[in-house]
Amino acid sequence: MSKADLLSMFPDELGELCVSLGQPKYRGKQIFEALYKGARGFDGFTSLPKAFRERLSEEAFIPNAEIARKLVSKIDGTVKYLYRLYDGETVESVFMRYKHGNTMCISTQVGCRMGCAFCASTKAGLVRSLAPSEMLLQILEAERDLNERVSNIVLMGMGEPLDNYDNVIKFLKLVNYESGLNIGLRHISLSTCGLVDKIDRLADEGLPVTLSISLHAPNDEKRKETMPIANKYSISQLLDACKRFIDKTGRRISFEYALISGVNDLPADAHQLGKLLGGMLCHVNLIPVNPIKERSFQSSEKNAIKAFTDILETYKINVTVRRKLGADINASCGQLRAEENKI
């Protein structure tokens, strides 16, 4: 029987574990609070009897994430972390400072199997999914290292969150837990390349997160060129799922659109996208693509981005162009891990 991952558990679950080891249930709350105060070893559970700590260490473990590399942007102070996990695998996170608070972009998997052509995270495929604790640790360790609080989270780092569905849902509930990090679900964005069946499941969870759809093309033909998921679900199927999500949750959806010069940034593309999304409760986030070494993709020119934005606005669509943070440290996820592992 494998050991229990204490940081992936709620106080009630920890309490049940304590009862099974002959201790009162309230010990679970003590363990939970100690973990979020920084305990990374059983000696940190100072409110527990020493004999119980020793027994607990035989039945459970406390995961850790070691900062393997840390890059700090000289331009805007953005911090990029490469974390080494218990098995030697690495994942990336990015800490970004905004006027409205600090945002952490975290990974949900080691690698990714979605195969999007413009993304560095997917180059070596999927190694494994992360436990809830390993997602939490990316935030906890950054807060400890910087002595700053994270107030917003985006699940937009390495991996496809909805491909690690159960662990991501538990992470969302844990990170929102009042005596834990207590980060409001409305301050969390979950990004997906478009797993239609999982979008429908998420709509039924009753979690008021913001759903971000990585769209990146105005039609199926162009989407298939860069996103293999388009061979399974058409844009029509994806947008129908988005509309169901809006109907069930009342939450506005964000569409992510990476602008690639000469590929999907033409005026005709903008008009087609405007016709697709016009009238929907949504927001379009235009992202000048980050070039990666193995691809020939280049970011759109400023005049092309401006023209694309202007056209979308004629369809009464709310549009923003993502401000590029950490440009001098390759702040898009997957690049640092690829460099570290010679992928």
Side-chain angles (χ1 to χ4, degrees):
M1 181 177 172
S2 60
K3 290 188 175 184
D5 174 355
L6 297 182
L7 192 57
S8 286
M9 301 171 78
F10 291 102
D12 281 352
E13 293 175 309
L14 291 166
E16 289 168 8
L17 174 63
C18 291
V19 169
S20 73
L21 298 177
Q23 290 288 316
K25 190 170 184 178
Y26 70 79
R27 296 283 187 211
K29 185 179 178 183
Q30 292 175 322
I31 293 170
F32 188 86
E33 290 174 350
L35 288 169
Y36 285 87
K37 287 177 181 174
R40 292 294 174 266
F42 290 90
D43 288 343
F45 295 154
T46 54
S47 60
L48 306 183
K50 185 177 179 182
F52 178 49
R53 276 183 260 163
E54 292 173 356
R55 176 73 196 284
L56 189 62
S57 69
E58 296 170 0
E59 303 293 333
F61 72 101
I62 305 169
N64 59 40
E66 173 196 349
I67 299 174
R69 288 186 69 187
K70 174 185 174 183
L71 303 178
V72 182
S73 171
K74 294 177 181 177
I75 300 171
D76 51 43
T78 294
V79 184
K80 185 168 186 177
Y81 291 102
L82 182 72
Y83 290 111
R84 182 164 285 110
L85 307 175
Y86 73 93
D87 57 357
E89 293 295 343
T90 53
V91 294
E92 297 175 40
S93 302
V94 182
F95 179 96
M96 298 163 284
R97 296 178 179 91
Y98 294 95
K99 288 181 181 178
H100 61 267
N102 297 323
T103 294
M104 192 88 186
C105 178
I106 69 165
S107 296
T108 56
Q109 295 179 308
V110 180
C112 182
R113 61 177 162 189
M114 295 298 119
C116 299
F118 45 79
C119 181
S121 297
T122 195
K123 285 160 57 181
L126 176 68
V127 178
R128 68 174 177 85
S129 288
L130 298 186
S133 59
E134 293 173 311
M135 294 176 235
L136 286 165
L137 279 167
Q138 294 170 63
I139 301 164
L140 290 165
E141 291 304 311
E143 288 191 333
R144 178 194 59 77
D145 179 56
L146 299 170
N147 197 27
E148 294 184 53
R149 175 169 161 74
V150 170
S151 54
N152 304 279
I153 303 169
V154 288
L155 281 69
M156 205 177 286
M158 293 169 53
E160 161 57 59
L162 296 185
D163 190 39
N164 185 18
Y165 189 88
D166 291 337
N167 284 335
V168 164
I169 294 300
K170 189 165 191 182
F171 160 77
L172 291 172
K173 293 176 179 178
L174 279 166
V175 82
N176 178 237
Y177 203 85
E178 188 173 5
S179 57
L181 284 172
N182 193 25
I183 296 175
L185 292 173
R186 293 179 184 274
H187 295 276
I188 300 175
S189 293
L190 184 154
S191 178
T192 175
C193 67
L195 305 186
V196 167
D197 57 331
K198 302 293 176 58
I199 291 172
D200 283 328
R201 279 184 69 187
L202 182 63
D204 291 331
E205 295 283 353
L207 303 174
V209 297
T210 297
L211 181 64
S212 294
I213 304 292
S214 296
L215 192 57
H216 308 314
N219 57 59
D220 289 323
E221 290 70 34
K222 286 199 174 189
R223 201 163 192 256
K224 286 176 182 177
E225 290 175 10
T226 57
M227 302 184 71
I229 192 67
N231 293 297
K232 182 171 184 179
Y233 297 115
S234 67
I235 287 180
S236 176
Q237 289 173 304
L238 176 56
L239 293 185
D240 283 346
C242 290
K243 290 169 185 174
R244 290 192 294 271
F245 185 90
I246 293 168
D247 288 343
K248 285 184 178 179
T249 66
R251 300 284 291 162
R252 181 177 72 166
I253 283 182
S254 177
F255 288 99
E256 309 290 319
Y257 195 99
L259 287 165
I260 307 170
S261 182
V263 176
N264 65 354
D265 66 345
L266 305 175
D269 297 323
H271 281 292
Q272 195 168 8
L273 185 63
K275 289 172 185 174
L276 271 177
L277 304 182
M280 188 183 296
L281 182 63
C282 72
H283 166 266
V284 173
N285 193 13
L286 298 177
I287 310 164
V289 75
N290 281 296
I292 59 174
K293 293 176 184 177
E294 296 75 15
R295 310 292 186 189
S296 60
F297 297 144
Q298 295 298 318
S299 181
S300 300
E301 299 290 338
K302 285 184 178 179
N303 60 342
I305 296 172
K306 175 71 164 58
F308 204 97
T309 301
D310 291 345
I311 291 169
L312 285 183
E313 287 178 344
T314 67
Y315 291 89
K316 296 183 171 29
I317 295 171
N318 187 293
V319 188
T320 55
V321 179
R322 180 181 293 173
R323 183 161 63 96
K324 191 172 182 179
L325 296 179
D328 57 329
I329 58 170
N330 287 336
S332 61
C333 278
Q335 294 173 316
L336 195 57
R337 177 176 178 266
E339 184 181 305
E340 180 85 0
N341 295 343
K342 306 286 192 295
I343 295 173

